[in-house]
Structure formats: C-alpha cells, structure tokens
C-alpha cells in the first residue's frame, strides 16, 4: 500500500502544480474565485457542481468523495442491467473536466478532514454525501446471519469496495425473502432471478456473477406491509421483473381487491395506477402452478415482519420470518373513545417510521394474526439512512440535516433565523432517501439558488476581501496528513482499465472491487 | 446541417485541445445521439455505451414516426424543415427550424435550448466578477449544453416537454409503455406531456409549440403528481 500511497501523493501534487500553472494562463480564472467544496461525488454532488459552474462564472468547484471513484450510486446503486441509466456519467464527466472543477477521491470527511476545516478552506461547502446506512426494523432476530440490508446486497453485486466481503450465502437455501416492494427491492429480486447468461453481459461484479451462477435460490418473496395500490415501485422496474423469461409470478387475487380509499389513490396517482394495473394483469394472466423447472416470484401484500427465527441449532442463521397480517387504516379516523387511542398509536407509529401521514394516506396496522415463511436469505429493503459527521446539525429522527431550501439550520428545532453560514446540503442528506437521479437535478437547483441568493446578499463573505485557500489548501492539508487524494485523471485510468478488462470478458466493464486494485491502477 | 454539426464539433475539439483536456468523452457522447446514427461506425472510443447503442437505435426506430434518420441526411433542403416554437419557463419564445426526422431533444440542443431544470436568473455580477471572465466562460458554456441525462435512450425524464396544442398532440403517435414509464417520473406532468427524445419532427408537426415545464418544488416523486396545468 505504501508504494501506491507514494505514487498517489506524487500524482496529486503534480496535478495541483499543473493546475496552478495552467490557471495562470487562463483569463477565465479569477485570482480570488468563490471557492466551493461539494462533498460526495454522486448525482446530487455532480448536479450541484454543474449548476454552480453555470450560475457562478467565477466559482471554482471541488468535488470530493471517500471512494477513489466518482459517480456514487450511479456506479454502485444503479443495477448492472440498466446501462442506459448510467449514461448520465458522461454528463457528470464533462462537469468534472470543466476547467474550474476538480474531483478528488479517496479521503473521508470526518476522518481525513473535518467539517470545520473544510469550512475554513472554502467559502461554500455543500454536503451531498447521501445515505450510507440503513433503517432498522427493530424486531427480534434482525442480526442473524443470512439477513442483509438491500444496500449491502446492491453494493455487493455492483462491486462497491465495501461490499465485496458480504458474500451472501446463496447455496444453502432455495428461498429468499425481500422485505419491501420499492425499486431497490425489485432490483434485488431481478438480480436473484435473472438468468446469469443475461447478467454476464453487464458490468456486474465478477464475484457476484460467480455466486449467482452457483445460486440455488429458486423462489423469491417480495413482501410489503401494504397492498398493490400502495406499492412503492415504479412501472419500469415492475415491468422488467414481470418480464423475466420463464419466471412464474404469483399474486393473490384477493389482495387486488380495491377499497374506496384505494380507488381514490389510484385515481389521483398515475404511478400507483400503472403499477396496480401491471400487477393486476400479471395476477390474472399467470398460470395457476409453476412448472417444475421454473423460478418463482411471489408478491406478498399486507404482511409486516414480526420476528426472524433461527434454524434452532444455535447456528445463528436465519431460517424463516414470522409475519403479522395487516390491514390498512386511514390516518384520520372518526373519533370515539376507543379509536382515539388507536389513532394516537397509529400516528406515533407513523412518525416513528419517518412517514408523512396526511389525509388519504393509509398505513398498515397489525391484525394479531400471524404466519410463517421458511427462508434462508433475507434482504431488508426498507430504506436507506444518512449518517451525521462531527459539527453538523442532524435530525436523527428524520435522518436528514435540518435545512431550508438547502441552507443548513444551526438547530434541529428548525428556527429559520439560525443558519450555518456557507454550509448547504443537497440530495438524500437534504430531503431523505427517495427519488430518482433526476430528482437531484431539481434538488441541486434549489440549493444553488439559495447559494446564489446568499452570495448576492453578502451572506457569504466577498471573495476579494476574504480569499480562501480552497483546493490548494485542501491538498496541502491532506499532504501534511499523508492522505492521498485521487484526482479525476486517476479515475480515468481506472475507467479505461475496467473497460479493457471488461472487453476481455465481453462485458462493458469489469469493475475493480478492492481499494488495493483501484489505487494500484490509479497510480500506474 | 451535418456540416454545421461537424464544424461545431471541430470547434469544440480545438477549444478543448487548447485547454489541454481530454476530448474523447465529451465528443463521443455528442456523436452518439440517435439522429447521428450514421456516424457511429467511425466512433470506437467509448466502449461502455457500445453494448446498448443498438438498443437506443432500435428504440428510436420503434418509436419514431414515418420519417427516418436517412430522410434528413440532406437536411439543408428547406422543404424538409419544419418550424417549432419552444416556450421557456419565463414565457420567452424561440422559433427554430427542425429537419424532418430529428427529435425535439436534439433540435433543442442544436439551438442551445435547455430542456432540463429551471432557468434560475444569474444575479447581477458582484464586484469580484470581471466582465472578461463572464464572456470567456459563456463561450465555453456554449459547449456545456446538456444532452438529457440518458442522451435519448429512454432512461430518464429530463427532456420532458409539453405540447401546447391538443391538435398537435393528437398528431403524435401514442407513447410506448417505456415512454410512459419515464413520464410517470417527470416533473410537472400534464395531459399533453411527452419526452422530447421521442417526438420526431415530421411535416404534420410544422408550427407545433412546445413548453418547457417549470420545475416543481416538490421532490416527492414517489407519490406526488403535480396538478395538470
């Protein structure tokens, strides 16, 4: 490692020198630019950088990331069989190659450099580091082996360097249960059920492809607390999983019964309507029994996990899930003595789960009736969670940084007059872990508009009277600490090596999945 | 048309070379758009996208109207051009000529019309912005026009446009399931919304007006659909 470190140090130093030199020859670079640091090189970070470069022609933007590779979830979240969705990397690369923009990876906010240091170095710091943890169910048995978060599973098959060691056991069971019915859950189900000959032509990590080739999983249960009218997935992902060749789909037709509240939801919400229609079509067109060789996908509605059971031999391995059946209740019930208690309980549950409860929104409540499902693998796809760093106001209940239009509030109580000057958020850290890539575009626009307003109104110190060291200061600080930043040019080396390796296997890309290999190629 | 594109690319390359930066990535992505399908064999730089170039092209053929890319190869003939008006978020209008066979996404890019996002007004230059900086940056930014996050491969909704006249909307072929899947996630969806990459210029569309949707401030794409305009 030491040798890579040294090489990276040389590389980043020479890069900073050449940047300094080249900056002299361009009149477009102001000597005292507005120095901006964006933390997190995913969609939120790149859209923020792009919008900042456009809105502030004198701004210099540095995007930093804890990984040596940029693009965040576009690289490690988007499923390998969705190459079109990853085309947006071209647009992000253009931003990174912009003369007033830089990318530096391989060092972490909070350990290599503190937030207060970054705020000293830059006029503007935008935190866009997303959500790298998971919500927990808080039920017995949750930490048995064989139970993983969908995030970990996604990182594993996408070759995230922190996901390689997950090694889910796909060989000692034929049944997997996925808790949740959002797009991440559907992605996970598709990866487990798809023919490996299809996956072999994608940029799926080779360790994952090997494991899937030997997988004995034939049955996947996708379990949701609510019904088909409330499923959180979108039509594209659903259509894809329903369209897997030679897959038996099972949906209980009785679950498709629509209540008046459901009718209302479906009438007013195009996404839910189209998802419901697809499910209902799949339910009616499916054969009643699978053929012997067929893999199976079961949509299970109105069930919430109650506890996980182990195999009983002290193995610590999951052997099944105990579910409680649920019914849907509107959040606003007619008031009488008994119901009020139930209502306050419901609202408490809803708040606890970080769900907005509004008129017409229905939540699932247990009925006291239970059932059991055997399985040897469980993926919890119930939501991501952001993590705080030192010195950052953080709303632990909602899992976001308290903010108004991207401006970080000093206190979680939400007092709009107490702002952290020069500190902003964007993406999942700002609004919670929902939405698609393009959602970040609008999210970034809002944050950048706030920054522009603050610059214009003098809320951010004028750069001419209060210059900040910016990039040069950051690289110096990292160098003093023997931390090796990886620049975009090093990522381009990784990129072309991955493409070269992929070419040998007729894949678009063979991802390097360890820090060691990534850094080795980066410094070659 | 092609010549102008060529010269633009040429200028782009010269400009980027002079900045001492890698050109391959930017330029190839420019070239890979569906309308430019005939150029593709010359471009072998960008391996990753090669795998699904076919898909993009197929989708394009499948969804496009009667006109094909080859029809517009000699797009300089004025008879093969139609007039389209883009109406921006602030109500400003821009009339452009579009060769038959070209998608509205590409037509917008050819004319430096941004489809995605909301145009925030740049605040008046504070004292530390020098005017020469502004000018030079603007020139560079001409080449910075985005191509839709997925570059027309029907994997995003950033080229969402609203057909302003039902009469024209009805002249379009119905959106395929794949386009509807993406429209589900578009911001500010209306009854006459389409994806710009799937609306292909044909003679009947001459005079069509397209509005660029104003960005909604609501981020809850998982459930919330803004009311139709």
């Amino acid at each position: 490692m030491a040798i890579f470190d040294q090489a990276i140090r040389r590389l980043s130093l020479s890069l900073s020198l050449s940047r300094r030199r080249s900056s002299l020859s361009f009149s477009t670079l102001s000597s005292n630019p507005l120095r901006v640091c964006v933390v997190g090189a995913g969609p939120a970070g790149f859209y923020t950088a792009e919008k900042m470069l456009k809105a502030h022609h004198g701004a210099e933007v540095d995007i930093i990331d804890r990984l040596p590779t940029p693009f965040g979830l576009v690289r490690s979240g988007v499923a390998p069989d969705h190459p079109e969705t990853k085309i947006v990397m071209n647009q992000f690369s253009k931003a990174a190659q912009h003369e007033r923009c830089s990318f530096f990876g391989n060092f972490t906010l909070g350990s290599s450099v503190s937030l207060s240091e970054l705020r000293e170095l830059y006029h503007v710091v935008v935190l866009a580091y997303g959500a790298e943890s998971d919500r927990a169910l808080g039920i017995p048995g949750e930490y048995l082996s064989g139970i993983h978060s969908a995030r970990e599973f996604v990182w594993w098959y996408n070759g995230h360097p922190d996901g390689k060691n997950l090694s889910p056991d796909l060989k000692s069971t034929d049944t997997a249960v996925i808790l949740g019915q959002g797009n991440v859950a559907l992605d996970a189900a598709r990866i487990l059920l798809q023919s490996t000959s299809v996956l072999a032509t994608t940029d799926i990590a080779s360790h994952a492809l090997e494991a899937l080739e030997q997988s004995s999983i034939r049955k996947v249960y996708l379990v949701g607390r609510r019904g088909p009218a409330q499923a959180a997935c979108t039509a594209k992902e659903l259509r894809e999983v329903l369209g897997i060749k030679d897959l038996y789909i099972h949906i209980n037709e009785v679950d498709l019964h629509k209540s008046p509240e459901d009718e209302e939801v479906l009438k007013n919400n195009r996404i839910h309507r189209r998802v419901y229609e697809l499910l209902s079509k799949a339910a009616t067109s499916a054969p009643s029994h699978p053929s012997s060789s067929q893999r199976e996908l079961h949509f299970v509605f109105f069930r919430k996990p109650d506890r996980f059971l182990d195999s009983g031999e002290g193995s610590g391995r999951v052997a099944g899930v105990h579910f409680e059946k649920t019914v849907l209740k509107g959040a606003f019930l007619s008031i009488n003595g008994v119901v009020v208690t139930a209502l306050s309980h419901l609202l408490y549950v809803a708040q606890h789960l970080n769900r907005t409860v509004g008129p017409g929104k229905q939540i699932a409540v247990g009925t006291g009736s239970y059932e059991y499902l055997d399985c040897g693998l469980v993926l919890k796809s119930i939501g991501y969670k952001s993590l705080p760093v030192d010195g950052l106001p953080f709303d632990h209940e909602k899992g976001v940084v308290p903010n108004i239009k991207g401006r970080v509030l000093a206190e979680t109580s939400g007092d709009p007059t107490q702002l952290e000057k020069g500190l902003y958020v964007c993406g999942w850290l700002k609004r919670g872990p929902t939405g698609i890539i393009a959602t970040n575009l609008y999210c970034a626009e809002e944050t950048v508009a706030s920054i522009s307003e603050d610059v214009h109104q003098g809320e951010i110190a004028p750069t001419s009277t209060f210059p900040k060291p910016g990039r040069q200061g950051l690289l110096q600080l990292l160098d003093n600490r023997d931390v090796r930043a990886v620049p975009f040019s090093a990522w381009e080396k990784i990129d072309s090596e991955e493409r070269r390796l992929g070419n040998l296997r007729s894949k678009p890309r063979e991802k390097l999945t360890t820090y060691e290999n990534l850094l080795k190629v980066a410094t070659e | 048309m092609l010549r102008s594109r060529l010269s633009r690319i040429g200028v782009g390359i010269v400009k980027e070379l002079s900045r001492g930066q890698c050109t391959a990535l930017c330029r190839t992505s420019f070239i890979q758009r569906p309308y430019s399908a005939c150029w593709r064999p010359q471009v072998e730089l960008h391996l990753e996208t090669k795998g699904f170039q076919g898909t993009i092209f197929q989708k394009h053929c499948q969804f496009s109207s009667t006109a094909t890319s080859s029809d517009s190869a000699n797009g300089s003939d004025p008879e093969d051009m139609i007039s389209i008006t883009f109406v921006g978020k602030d109500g400003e209008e821009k009339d452009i000529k579009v060769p038959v066979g070209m998608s509205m996404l590409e037509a917008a890019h050819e004319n430096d019309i941004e489809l995605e996002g909301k145009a925030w007004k740049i605040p008046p230059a504070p004292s530390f912005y020098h005017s020469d900086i502004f000018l030079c940056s603007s020139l560079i930014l001409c080449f910075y026009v985005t191509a839709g996050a997925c570059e027309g491969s029907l994997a995003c909704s950033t080229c969402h446009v609203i057909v302003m006249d039902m009469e024209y909307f009805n002249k379009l072929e119905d959106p395929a399931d794949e386009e509807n899947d993406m429209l589900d996630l578009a911001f500010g969806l209306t009854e006459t919304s389409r994806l710009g990459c799937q609306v292909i210029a044909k003679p009947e569309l001459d005079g069509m007006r397209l509005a660029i949707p104003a960005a909604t401030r609501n981020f809850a794409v998982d459930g919330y659909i803004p009311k139709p305009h």
Side-chain angles (χ1 to χ4, degrees), chain A residues 18-29:
Chain A
S18 70
R19 287 223 174 232
R20 234 172 290 158
R21 237 179 280 127
S22 67
S23 69
L24 296 175
S25 58
F26 287 104
S27 57
T28 52
L29 294 180

mmCIF file of all heavy atoms in Angstrom, chain A residues 18-29:
data_model
loop_
_atom_site.group_PDB
_atom_site.id
_atom_site.type_symbol
_atom_site.label_atom_id
_atom_site.label_comp_id
_atom_site.label_asym_id
_atom_site.label_seq_id
_atom_site.Cartn_x
_atom_site.Cartn_y
_atom_site.Cartn_z
ATOM 1 N N SER A 18 0.311 21.434 -11.800
ATOM 2 C CA SER A 18 -0.010 21.749 -13.197
ATOM 3 C C SER A 18 -1.276 22.594 -13.262
ATOM 4 O O SER A 18 -1.418 23.452 -14.101
ATOM 5 C CB SER A 18 -0.161 20.473 -14.013
ATOM 6 O OG SER A 18 -1.327 19.804 -13.622
ATOM 7 N N ARG A 19 -2.180 22.324 -12.335
ATOM 8 C CA ARG A 19 -3.393 23.145 -12.319
ATOM 9 C C ARG A 19 -3.048 24.590 -11.998
ATOM 10 O O ARG A 19 -3.578 25.506 -12.563
ATOM 11 C CB ARG A 19 -4.386 22.627 -11.276
ATOM 12 C CG ARG A 19 -5.046 21.363 -11.680
ATOM 13 C CD ARG A 19 -6.514 21.433 -11.361
ATOM 14 N NE ARG A 19 -7.159 20.244 -11.902
ATOM 15 C CZ ARG A 19 -8.221 20.291 -12.680
ATOM 16 N NH1 ARG A 19 -8.755 21.429 -12.995
ATOM 17 N NH2 ARG A 19 -8.750 19.193 -13.129
ATOM 18 N N ARG A 20 -2.145 24.724 -11.046
ATOM 19 C CA ARG A 20 -1.768 26.069 -10.661
ATOM 20 C C ARG A 20 -1.128 26.799 -11.840
ATOM 21 O O ARG A 20 -1.426 27.927 -12.119
ATOM 22 C CB ARG A 20 -0.789 26.000 -9.480
ATOM 23 C CG ARG A 20 -1.226 26.825 -8.303
ATOM 24 C CD ARG A 20 -0.342 26.560 -7.111
ATOM 25 N NE ARG A 20 -0.558 25.237 -6.568
ATOM 26 C CZ ARG A 20 0.345 24.602 -5.815
ATOM 27 N NH1 ARG A 20 1.505 25.163 -5.542
ATOM 28 N NH2 ARG A 20 0.091 23.426 -5.329
ATOM 29 N N ARG A 21 -0.246 26.031 -12.518
ATOM 30 C CA ARG A 21 0.442 26.638 -13.640
ATOM 31 C C ARG A 21 -0.578 27.034 -14.727
ATOM 32 O O ARG A 21 -0.576 28.127 -15.215
ATOM 33 C CB ARG A 21 1.466 25.656 -14.216
ATOM 34 C CG ARG A 21 2.861 26.237 -14.229
ATOM 35 C CD ARG A 21 3.838 25.222 -14.777
ATOM 36 N NE ARG A 21 4.227 24.238 -13.793
ATOM 37 C CZ ARG A 21 4.156 22.908 -13.981
ATOM 38 N NH1 ARG A 21 3.683 22.420 -15.106
ATOM 39 N NH2 ARG A 21 4.557 22.091 -13.051
ATOM 40 N N SER A 22 -1.449 26.071 -15.027
ATOM 41 C CA SER A 22 -2.367 26.348 -16.128
ATOM 42 C C SER A 22 -3.328 27.470 -15.756
ATOM 43 O O SER A 22 -3.779 28.204 -16.610
ATOM 44 C CB SER A 22 -3.133 25.086 -16.506
ATOM 45 O OG SER A 22 -3.980 24.730 -15.446
ATOM 46 N N SER A 23 -3.602 27.592 -14.469
ATOM 47 C CA SER A 23 -4.569 28.611 -14.099
ATOM 48 C C SER A 23 -4.045 30.013 -14.431
ATOM 49 O O SER A 23 -4.818 30.918 -14.689
ATOM 50 C CB SER A 23 -4.901 28.509 -12.607
ATOM 51 O OG SER A 23 -3.777 28.895 -11.860
ATOM 52 N N LEU A 24 -2.729 30.123 -14.469
ATOM 53 C CA LEU A 24 -2.164 31.431 -14.779
ATOM 54 C C LEU A 24 -2.440 31.837 -16.219
ATOM 55 O O LEU A 24 -2.562 33.003 -16.532
ATOM 56 C CB LEU A 24 -0.644 31.413 -14.552
ATOM 57 C CG LEU A 24 -0.221 31.184 -13.099
ATOM 58 C CD1 LEU A 24 1.287 31.056 -13.007
ATOM 59 C CD2 LEU A 24 -0.718 32.322 -12.229
ATOM 60 N N SER A 25 -2.525 30.827 -17.076
ATOM 61 C CA SER A 25 -2.631 31.156 -18.489
ATOM 62 C C SER A 25 -4.077 31.400 -18.934
ATOM 63 O O SER A 25 -4.329 31.684 -20.077
ATOM 64 C CB SER A 25 -2.019 30.034 -19.325
ATOM 65 O OG SER A 25 -2.689 28.830 -19.021
ATOM 66 N N PHE A 26 -5.031 31.237 -18.031
ATOM 67 C CA PHE A 26 -6.417 31.439 -18.443
ATOM 68 C C PHE A 26 -7.033 32.651 -17.769
ATOM 69 O O PHE A 26 -7.075 32.732 -16.549
ATOM 70 C CB PHE A 26 -7.261 30.203 -18.112
ATOM 71 C CG PHE A 26 -6.984 29.053 -19.012
ATOM 72 C CD1 PHE A 26 -6.229 27.976 -18.574
ATOM 73 C CD2 PHE A 26 -7.451 29.053 -20.313
ATOM 74 C CE1 PHE A 26 -5.962 26.921 -19.405
ATOM 75 C CE2 PHE A 26 -7.177 27.993 -21.154
ATOM 76 C CZ PHE A 26 -6.426 26.921 -20.691
ATOM 77 N N SER A 27 -7.519 33.533 -18.611
ATOM 78 C CA SER A 27 -8.099 34.740 -18.047
ATOM 79 C C SER A 27 -9.440 34.447 -17.384
ATOM 80 O O SER A 27 -9.965 35.248 -16.653
ATOM 81 C CB SER A 27 -8.301 35.776 -19.151
ATOM 82 O OG SER A 27 -9.113 35.234 -20.154
ATOM 83 N N THR A 28 -9.998 33.243 -17.689
ATOM 84 C CA THR A 28 -11.304 32.937 -17.105
ATOM 85 C C THR A 28 -11.202 32.671 -15.616
ATOM 86 O O THR A 28 -12.185 32.685 -14.918
ATOM 87 C CB THR A 28 -11.905 31.691 -17.755
ATOM 88 O OG1 THR A 28 -10.932 30.649 -17.707
ATOM 89 C CG2 THR A 28 -12.335 31.965 -19.157
ATOM 90 N N LEU A 29 -9.990 32.372 -15.140
ATOM 91 C CA LEU A 29 -9.873 32.048 -13.734
ATOM 92 C C LEU A 29 -9.540 33.304 -12.947
ATOM 93 O O LEU A 29 -8.505 33.913 -13.143
ATOM 94 C CB LEU A 29 -8.803 30.985 -13.536
ATOM 95 C CG LEU A 29 -9.142 29.633 -14.157
ATOM 96 C CD1 LEU A 29 -8.037 28.634 -13.906
ATOM 97 C CD2 LEU A 29 -10.463 29.107 -13.642
#
